[in-house]
Amino acid sequence: MITSLAGGRVLAEKHGSTPPRVVALHGWGRDGTDFATILSGLDAVSIHLPGFGPAPAPETAWGTDDYAELVAEAIAPFAPVVVVGHSFGGRVAVRLAARHPELVAGLVLTGVPLVKLQAPAAPPLSYRLARWAHRRGLLSDARMDALRNQRGSADYRAAQGVLRSILVRVVNESYDDDLATLAAGTVPLRLVWGEHDTAAPTDAGRVAAERIGSPFRVVPGTAHLLEGDLELAVREELLGVVAAHGQEGPR
């Protein structure tokens, strides 16, 4: 069942009764339906972040701070809530918790790219020359787009219009200050990761957990998507946070 928040500016899947006590934020290229199993029996909403599912894309290239401010507006009437974030949604959740800790009773993260263990490799000389030529009008937009697609990730190739610009902005963001803020704050966190996650490598997740001072759980045999044993582990960690902070458990 879809409900609206923030005066109709935010769409979300509704679970249980109102007011919601848990808010879920999905990954890139996914939508709010990803959390049906995880939120079963809870009073919760799973937000369709703008640009995904039925939610229209922003008109400009948002960063996760823009998404976090919209989520803050949406949840303010019934906060504080426990927030569970996967991948891109976890990036938004970290921004939200660092900037608006009064709205977040607890935080569960899974598969969230928060730490870069090594600097990205410089593009090859041929690509840098192509960019130089494109800036000077010597290489067509179509040819430059084709070269970008060859180098880009599957998410980059699939993204269209403003979503491609949003993706480029988001993957180049740093969360070092947010992690430091969370480490110094009082928002309880739990991190749970797939053993074979390559989109958000497990080693990087472990480093993020150490910086925050959070428990870090690895689920054997799982990867990045919310399915199978990882999905069940995220639910288990979420229920633990809900119980620890006096939120209502499953019906």
Side-chain angles (χ1 to χ4, degrees):
M1 175 182 177
I2 292 185
T3 189
S4 64
L5 307 168
R9 296 179 63 217
V10 174
L11 299 177
E13 298 292 320
K14 178 183 175 183
H15 300 262
S17 303
T18 55
R21 297 304 178 196
V22 176
V23 172
L25 303 175
H26 62 79
W28 187 269
R30 312 293 297 182
D31 60 40
T33 62
D34 267 10
F35 290 90
T37 297
I38 292 170
L39 300 178
S40 177
L42 294 170
D43 296 332
V45 289
S46 181
I47 290 175
H48 297 286
L49 293 167
F52 305 96
E59 293 183 358
T60 58
W62 280 15
T64 52
D65 51 346
D66 300 294
Y67 279 95
E69 290 304 317
L70 181 62
V71 172
E73 179 186 348
I75 69 175
F78 49 83
V81 294
V82 175
V83 179
V84 53
H86 172 233
S87 196
F88 170 65
R91 295 181 191 247
V92 176
V94 165
R95 295 284 201 222
L96 173 70
R99 288 159 173 71
H100 300 282
E102 75 282 359
L103 301 181
V104 181
L107 188 57
V108 178
L109 302 175
T110 180
V112 188
L114 295 171
V115 173
K116 296 180 175 72
L117 296 183
Q118 58 186 19
L125 177 61
S126 59
Y127 185 77
R128 283 178 280 158
L129 288 172
R131 287 191 306 193
W132 179 89
H134 179 251
R135 286 194 296 267
R136 285 157 179 78
L138 304 175
L139 190 70
S140 70
D141 290 345
R143 180 56 184 157
M144 194 67 232
D145 283 344
L147 292 173
R148 291 191 185 108
N149 281 333
Q150 288 175 13
R151 288 184 48 80
S153 66
D155 283 340
Y156 180 86
R157 292 192 297 272
Q160 301 295 323
V162 71
L163 282 179
R164 179 171 284 190
S165 298
I166 290 172
L167 179 62
V168 171
R169 179 174 174 180
V170 167
V171 299
N172 286 295
E173 290 177 341
S174 169
Y175 300 89
D176 291 346
D177 290 344
D178 301 276
L179 295 180
T181 298
L182 293 176
T186 59
V187 175
L189 290 100
R190 298 191 187 186
L191 279 67
V192 53
W193 241 251
E195 179 186 18
H196 304 301
D197 193 332
T198 55
T202 306
D203 286 347
R206 186 175 287 106
V207 170
E210 290 171 354
R211 290 188 185 178
I212 301 168
S214 167
F216 186 72
R217 176 178 175 182
V218 177
V219 184
T222 63
H224 185 67
L225 295 181
L226 290 176
E227 56 190 19
D229 288 345
L230 179 60
E231 184 177 47
L232 298 178
V234 172
R235 175 174 169 82
E236 183 179 352
E237 296 296 332
L238 174 62
L239 294 181
V241 174
V242 167
H245 299 282
Q247 306 283 44
E248 186 176 341
R251 298 178 183 277

